[in-house]
């Protein structure tokens, strides 16, 4: 099954992510067992659970970074292990470590992100506008505050072409106004047919997006 | 070849018997160590079962 | 039929039970082989005309040198299978073979130097084969150290498998480089360190010992594998059932011992 | 699975170029760190005459081996820098999740590392060879062996670094994993310089080094990428 870049437009609604009885054991502790879910376009999956309940492990398994002890993750019906780069081109992941090089400027970080995947719909200026980091182009990342670095990591989602967002507690170190902005971004992304999987302690009020919830604890 | 000649090994007794002795030690080590390891593992699992049985 | 056998063997509980049954028989055959080889080598075989009785070290040195290379290849192949088809058992075979291979390499090195001492008067000769053996020992220690350094045992197994594969690709390169390097410095004057042209009565014990060592490796790796399986599957039901039943049997034995101890006699 | 339309392949080259440029920028932003392997190289070479005495005849016969062992150790010590900073700030995960094959990206990082550590060794080595009294006509061959050898050190070293990137004390184990794999390069390179010092032909040794380079270029990135995937899992 080939994916030409044309049909990677998020507006095509037939993408879906599926987990088939996923099992994960971290040093003797069964974090989750026989986990099944499926989310399609325009849907958001919120993963809740107290600390240490395996939220991050689940996200890393969904990205193909982590290794599950059982079960399988499928993207459009095909196992992500076999798809490899074919799956990663549709995926954007923001983990605990924001993946921002401290010595590079904002602009260089975003150019690098675009080089690693495909340039997305928004230009860099538009993306910076949306996460209100406009004007910070030449600032080196180590000069930014934690919240600003978080927003830069989220700007990376906007400048690259991806349908699936996997976010690990995106709202940490962000102020109330930043959270509201980002919830709007999630809403527009899903409106365009994108999928979002995220973990968060805050209650997510994304009007218009069909939110599923999974509680791991 | 009576016993004394046998152990003398034509004057090379030291080299021959240390090699064979070392071989025996190495082979024995490779048998004994897994046994000890297995016993330790079994004991740890047994303790874990007792712990889970008491809390369950 | 073979695929079905191989498939069922890959499941840890089945493998644990089967290997438990085979071990005693393998041990008996291995012991027989080694004793026959020892008898043939130490008593039957005539002394070498040139080296006298010191040549009998060959019956330990050469088989363990063969084993060190053989085990590394088995480790790399098992590691490769474990990586490509995600078979946990193959990964465990690779990891369990590393210490055994390292001990055979160490044995080959020391017996080589013990054999070299009477012939050349020095404990260590920078001979091509001994140097390759020493580097092989470093490769083994690398795999063992890497496996020991990573806490998550599954990840450690896969990392060690990759290192073993990279190592096995490098072994021929290192071997021929060292051989070529050896001809540079030593020159052809040194008697070939090879086995002396071997008479049939000397060859039989050598093959017996080699067979015995291969069987010994199988036994040692099975034993390590069984405890590795128990450790990795300690949460699974079959292990708890197995250990549970053994635990209860252990308790009943303790209770029986306590009751027949004469209360009057003061315990140690 | 057939890879996607040719537009993607061009951008894999583009990604390679971008990652190479990014790493060079990062290294030049921390220029001081480039000097460390060079200083180590110089210090190790100056130690030898102090250790074994300064008899010119002895030094000259030892010069090729000493220079190459020092170059090898300097290259190995700087290997940690390839993935360490990326691992700590999470951009290594972004590399693994990129749309392009990871082995190409690993090749870019190794190329950047070689340009920053291997190449400077090439420049400094002839000057230090003078310290050890290496005859002048061997300088050319010394530089050629370093030119062919140091990339192999970086490529093979990248596999070792990828395996130990997740470990807290990975440095010690890295040397145990990587040094045995450096031995063929050391043997042929130092012998080439030795022969050149004696005025003998060195084509055989240099062609072996070139063969090692070709082998490493072809085979090393794939296990390094697989090792990264495992270290981050």
């Amino acid at each position: 099954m080939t994916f030409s870049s044309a049909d990677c437009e998020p507006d095509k609604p037939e993408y879906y992510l599926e987990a088939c009885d996923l099992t994960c054991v971290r040093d003797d502790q069964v974090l989750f067992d026989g986990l099944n879910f499926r989310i399609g376009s325009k849907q958001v999956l919120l993963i809740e659970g107290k600390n240490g309940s395996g939220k991050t492990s689940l996200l890393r398994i969904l990205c193909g970074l982590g290794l599950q002890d059982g079960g399988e993750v499928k993207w459009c019906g095909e196992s992500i292990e076999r798809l490899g780069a074919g799956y990663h081109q549709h995926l954007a992941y923001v983990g605990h470590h924001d993946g921002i090089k401290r010595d590079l400027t904002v602009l260089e970080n975003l150019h690098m992100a675009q080089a690693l995947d495909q340039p997305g719909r928004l230009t860099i200026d538009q993306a910076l506008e949306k996460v209100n980091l406009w004007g910070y182009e030449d600032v080196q990342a180590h000069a930014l505050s934690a919240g600003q670095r978080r927003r830069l990591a989220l700007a990376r989602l906007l400048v690259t072409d991806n349908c699936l967002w996997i976010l690990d507690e995106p709202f940490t170190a962000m102020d109330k106004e930043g959270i509201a902005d980002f919830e709007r971004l999630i809403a527009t992304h899903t409106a365009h047919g994108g999928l979002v999987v995220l973990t968060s302690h805050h209650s997510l009020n994304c009007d218009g997006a069909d939110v599923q919830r999974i509680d791991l604890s | 070849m009576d016993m004394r000649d046998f152990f003398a090994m034509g004057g090379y007794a030291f080299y021959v018997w240390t090699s064979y002795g070392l071989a025996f030690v190495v082979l024995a080590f490779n048998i004994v160590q897994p046994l000890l390891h297995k016993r330790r593992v079994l004991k740890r699992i047994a303790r874990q079962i007792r712990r889970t049985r008491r809390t369950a | 039929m073979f695929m079905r056998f191989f498939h069922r063997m890959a499941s840890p509980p089945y493998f644990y039970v089967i290997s438990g049954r085979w071990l005693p028989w393998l041990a008996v055959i291995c012991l027989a082989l080694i004793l026959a080889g020892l008898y043939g080598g130490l008593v039957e075989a005539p002394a070498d005309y040139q080296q006298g009785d010191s040549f009998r070290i060959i019956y330990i040195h050469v088989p363990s040198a063969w084993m060190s290379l053989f085990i590394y290849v088995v480790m790399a192949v098992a590691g490769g299978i474990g990586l490509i088809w995600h078979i946990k058992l193959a990964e465990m075979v690779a990891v369990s073979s590393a210490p055994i291979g390292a001990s055979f390499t160490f044995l080959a090195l020391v017996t080589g130097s013990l054999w070299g001492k009477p012939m050349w008067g020095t404990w260590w000769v920078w001979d091509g084969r001994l140097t390759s053996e020493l580097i092989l020992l470093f490769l083994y220690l690398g795999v063992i150290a890497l496996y020991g350094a990573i806490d998550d045992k599954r990840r450690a197994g896969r990392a060690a498998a990759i290192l073993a594969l990279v190592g096995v690709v490098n072994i021929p390169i290192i071997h021929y480089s060292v051989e070529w390097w050896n001809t540079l410095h030593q020159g052809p004057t040194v008697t070939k360190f090879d086995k002396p042209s071997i008479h049939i009565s000397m060859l039989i014990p050598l093959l017996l010992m080699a067979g015995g060592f291969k069987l010994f490796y199988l036994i040692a790796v099975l034993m390590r594998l069984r405890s590795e399986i128990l450790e990795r599957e300690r949460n699974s039901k079959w292990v708890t059932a197995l250990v549970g039943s053994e635990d209860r049997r252990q308790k009943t034995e303790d209770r029986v011992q306590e009751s027949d101890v004469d209360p009057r006699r003061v315990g140690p | 699975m057939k890879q996607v339309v040719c537009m993607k392949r061009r951008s894999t080259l583009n990604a390679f170029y971008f990652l190479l440029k990014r790493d060079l920028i990062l290294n030049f932003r921390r220029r001081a760190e480039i000097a460390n392997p060079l200083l180590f190289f110089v210090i190790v070479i100056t130690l030898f005459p102090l250790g074994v005495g300064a008899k010119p005849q002895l030094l000259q016969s030892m010069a090729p081996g000493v220079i190459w062992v020092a170059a090898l150790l300097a290259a190995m010590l700087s290997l940690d820098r390839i993935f360490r900073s990326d691992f700590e700030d999470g951009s290594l995960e972004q590399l693994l999740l990129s749309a392009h094959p990871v082995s190409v990206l690993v090749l870019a990082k190794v190329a950047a590392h070689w340009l920053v550590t291997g190449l400077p060794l090439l420049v400094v080595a002839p000057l230090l060879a003078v310290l050890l009294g290496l005859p002048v006509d061997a300088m050319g061959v010394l530089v050629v062996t370093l030119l062919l050898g140091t990339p192999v050190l970086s490529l093979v070293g990248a596999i070792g670094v990828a395996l130990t990137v997740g470990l807290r004390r990975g440095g010690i184990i890295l040397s145990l994993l990587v040094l045995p794999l450096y031995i063929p390069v050391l043997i042929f390179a130092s012998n080439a310089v030795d022969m050149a010092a004696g005025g003998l032909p060195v084509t055989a040794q240099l062609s072996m080094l070139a063969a090692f380079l070709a082998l490493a270029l072809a085979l090393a990135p794939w296990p390094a990428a697989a090792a990264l995937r495992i270290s981050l899992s």
Side-chain angles (χ1 to χ4, degrees), chain D residues 40-66:
Chain D
F40 176 85
F41 185 48
V42 170
I43 290 167
V44 165
I45 287 187
T46 43
L47 288 182
F48 271 89
L50 301 172
V52 294
K55 288 184 284 303
Q57 194 51 28
L58 175 67
L59 276 186
Q60 198 179 349
S61 68
M62 269 191 355
V66 162

Side-chain angles (χ1 to χ4, degrees), chain A residues 165-187:
Chain A
W165 288 1
I166 295 187
L167 314 168
D168 199 344
E169 289 179 18
F171 303 125
T172 50
M174 273 168 84
D175 47 32
K176 217 184 309 316
E177 185 236 348
I179 292 176
D181 284 352
F182 191 63
E183 275 165 350
R184 270 196 302 282
L185 287 178
I186 291 181

Side-chain angles (χ1 to χ4, degrees), chain C residues 178-251:
Chain C
V178 170
E179 287 294 328
W180 178 80
W181 164 82
N182 184 27
T183 55
L184 284 177
H185 297 278
Q186 226 63 32
T189 54
V190 175
T191 54
K192 205 66 191 77
F193 193 74
D194 221 335
K195 311 188 280 305
S197 57
I198 199 144
H199 183 264
I200 192 71
S201 72
M202 295 180 186
L203 184 60
I204 304 283
L206 193 62
L207 299 181
L208 282 173
M209 287 299 280
F213 274 17
K214 282 208 170 30
L215 220 53
F216 177 82
Y217 162 61
L218 184 60
I219 294 166
V221 86
L222 281 183
M223 289 173 70
R224 280 179 191 274
L225 215 51
R226 286 159 60 80
S227 46
E228 187 83 18
I229 286 175
L230 282 180
E231 195 164 9
R232 284 216 194 164
E233 305 271 323
R234 54 183 175 277
N235 303 323
S236 62
K237 289 174 246 348
W238 70 275
V239 170
T240 30
L242 181 88
V243 173
S245 60
E246 224 158 85
D247 196 31
R248 263 192 304 283
R249 192 166 41 73
Q250 193 66 25
K251 274 212 187 59

Side-chain angles (χ1 to χ4, degrees), chain C:
Chain C
M1 214 308 268
F2 174 73
M3 267 323 287
R4 201 170 56 75
F5 164 80
F6 181 71
H7 189 69
R8 275 179 44 209
M9 281 302 279
S11 80
Y14 184 81
F15 179 85
Y16 186 84
V17 170
I18 290 295
S19 53
R21 241 179 260 135
W22 282 354
L23 272 179
W25 300 107
L26 289 174
V28 167
I29 303 169
C30 171
L31 201 60
L33 275 176
I34 289 186
L35 288 183
L38 284 180
Y39 180 77
L42 288 175
V43 179
E44 284 291 324
D48 181 66
Y49 61 93
Q50 215 183 14
Q51 300 167 14
D53 282 304
S54 76
F55 102 98
R56 294 184 195 285
I57 300 179
I58 186 179
Y59 293 114
I60 296 289
H61 174 68
V62 170
S64 45
W66 288 343
M67 282 310 289
S68 59
L69 196 58
F70 171 74
I71 293 179
Y72 201 96
V73 172
V74 167
M75 181 169 74
V77 168
I81 293 172
L83 274 177
I84 296 166
W85 288 293
H86 299 300
I87 299 176
K88 270 194 282 200
L89 210 59
E91 211 181 283
M92 287 192 238
V93 164
V95 163
S96 311
S97 318
I100 306 167
S103 33
F104 272 120
T105 321
F106 172 74
L107 184 59
L109 268 177
V110 175
T111 47
S113 119
L114 277 170
W115 192 8
K117 175 74 168 108
M119 269 202 278
W120 289 298
T122 60
W123 286 107
W124 177 256
V125 166
W126 282 100
D127 162 76
R129 297 162 66 87
L130 276 183
T131 321
S132 308
E133 203 69 34
L134 182 63
I135 299 168
L136 185 58
L137 182 62
F138 293 145
L139 291 178
Y140 271 116
L141 295 180
V143 172
I144 296 170
L146 183 63
Y147 181 69
I150 301 176
D151 312 331
D152 167 8
K153 280 311 155 212
R154 261 179 62 111
R155 196 155 59 87
R158 289 160 63 85
I162 284 208
L163 185 60
L165 280 170
V166 170
V168 86
V169 168
N170 275 286
I171 280 181
I173 300 173
I174 291 174
H175 181 71
Y176 288 113
S177 312
V178 170
E179 287 294 328
W180 178 80
W181 164 82
N182 184 27
T183 55
L184 284 177
H185 297 278
Q186 226 63 32
T189 54
V190 175
T191 54
K192 205 66 191 77
F193 193 74
D194 221 335
K195 311 188 280 305
S197 57
I198 199 144
H199 183 264
I200 192 71
S201 72
M202 295 180 186
L203 184 60
I204 304 283
L206 193 62
L207 299 181
L208 282 173
M209 287 299 280
F213 274 17
K214 282 208 170 30
L215 220 53
F216 177 82
Y217 162 61
L218 184 60
I219 294 166
V221 86
L222 281 183
M223 289 173 70
R224 280 179 191 274
L225 215 51
R226 286 159 60 80
S227 46
E228 187 83 18
I229 286 175
L230 282 180
E231 195 164 9
R232 284 216 194 164
E233 305 271 323
R234 54 183 175 277
N235 303 323
S236 62
K237 289 174 246 348
W238 70 275
V239 170
T240 30
L242 181 88
V243 173
S245 60
E246 224 158 85
D247 196 31
R248 263 192 304 283
R249 192 166 41 73
Q250 193 66 25
K251 274 212 187 59
T252 47
E253 274 159 22
D254 299 347
R255 213 168 300 113
V256 164
Q257 272 156 11
E258 275 147 23
S259 61
D260 62 38
V261 167
D262 185 342
R264 277 188 308 284
R265 194 167 55 75
V266 175

Side-chain angles (χ1 to χ4, degrees), chain D residues 13-62:
Chain D
L13 216 57
N14 177 359
F16 178 89
Y17 163 71
F18 250 91
L19 192 52
L20 183 60
K21 193 161 75 82
R22 181 199 82 160
D23 263 23
L24 291 178
I25 291 171
L26 278 172
N27 280 313
F28 286 128
R29 295 244 163 101
R30 292 191 175 280
R31 254 184 301 283
E33 277 176 21
I34 297 179
N36 296 348
L38 291 181
L39 291 180
F40 176 85
F41 185 48
V42 170
I43 290 167
V44 165
I45 287 187
T46 43
L47 288 182
F48 271 89
L50 301 172
V52 294
K55 288 184 284 303
Q57 194 51 28
L58 175 67
L59 276 186
Q60 198 179 349
S61 68
M62 269 191 355

Side-chain angles (χ1 to χ4, degrees), chain C residues 155 158-159 162-163, chain D residues 96 158-165 221-233:
Chain C
R155 196 155 59 87
R158 289 160 63 85
I162 284 208
L163 185 60
Chain D
L96 285 181
I159 301 176
V161 173
L163 284 168
T164 59
V165 73
W222 179 74
L228 275 182
R229 209 172 285 287
I230 288 172
S231 298
L232 282 167
S233 70

